[in-house]
Amino acid sequence: MEQHRTRPPQRRQSRQAPLSPQGTIEEAATVYRVVSAPEGRSRPVPPVVLALRRLPNPRLTGIGAGLFAAVGMFAIACLDLLILDGSSLVFGVLFLPVSALTALWVRPADLVTAPIIVPIAFAVGVVPIAGGTGGFGGQTMAVVTALAVHAGWLYGGTLIAGLIATVRKVRLMRQRQRRTLLAAQTARPSSQGPRRPRR
């Protein structure tokens, strides 16, 4: 028995673009994504900045930063006393990076404390290498004398901590201004809403 097809065979018609009255094929609208090139070439990042970015970036409170600086300087002074017999040059040189790290690692809310913490840490660290004798009074006088003699290192570390804290504070203020301006710009179109046509 022959089976008859219920559906007639359909011819495959190729879809063609509609012809315009002039007889030409209308081109479909195509959306191209344009990637804007940066206006200026990207500046090469200095190796010092790359090395600083690789360091850990904790956020210490004011007390935490003070403990870090004081314990770090005391440990440096003890090692200096054991290895180099209390070299004031090594102690002063190592005080500078401790001051910088203290100002970098303190959290933004406690940036003001960084220049205050650093001199206290220097005074704590100078105790082992001061070399005072004769009880508490003699030790105190030795520490005061060491602070007066090494005032250059003390001022240098405090200046570094103050500059880093100031730069960080200025950057935070600029970021807040940009956020407020961006929030104000995005709030304007939404507050206006769609305008109804007048009749």
Side-chain angles (χ1 to χ4, degrees), residues 150-167:
H150 307 304
W153 295 112
L154 178 61
Y155 292 148
T158 307
L159 180 63
I160 289 174
L163 286 175
I164 293 174
T166 304
V167 170

Side-chain angles (χ1 to χ4, degrees), residues 43-184:
R43 298 178 181 177
V45 181
V48 178
V49 177
L50 292 175
L52 289 175
R53 287 179 182 174
R54 293 174 187 168
L55 290 173
N57 193 16
R59 284 291 171 254
L60 303 174
T61 61
I63 297 174
L67 288 174
F68 162 75
V71 171
M73 290 311 300
F74 189 80
I76 288 171
C78 291
L79 291 174
D80 185 18
L81 184 63
L82 290 174
I83 298 172
L84 301 172
D85 198 21
S87 173
S88 60
L89 178 63
V90 174
F91 180 78
V93 168
L94 293 178
F95 173 66
L96 302 180
V98 171
S99 302
L101 290 176
T102 303
L104 284 172
W105 289 350
V106 70
R107 65 180 184 175
D110 297 327
L111 278 173
V112 183
T113 61
I116 303 169
I117 291 168
V118 168
I120 298 172
F122 187 87
V124 171
V126 102
V127 172
I129 61 172
T133 55
F136 180 76
Q139 189 70 32
T140 305
M141 289 303 297
V143 169
V144 171
T145 305
L147 289 174
V149 171
H150 307 304
W153 295 112
L154 178 61
Y155 292 148
T158 307
L159 180 63
I160 289 174
L163 286 175
I164 293 174
T166 304
V167 170
R168 286 186 60 194
K169 189 67 176 178
V170 170
R171 289 182 64 186
L172 287 172
M173 291 172 65
R174 287 182 180 176
Q175 288 177 0
R176 289 175 184 173
Q177 288 179 354
R178 290 174 186 172
R179 289 174 186 172
T180 53
L181 288 175
L182 185 61

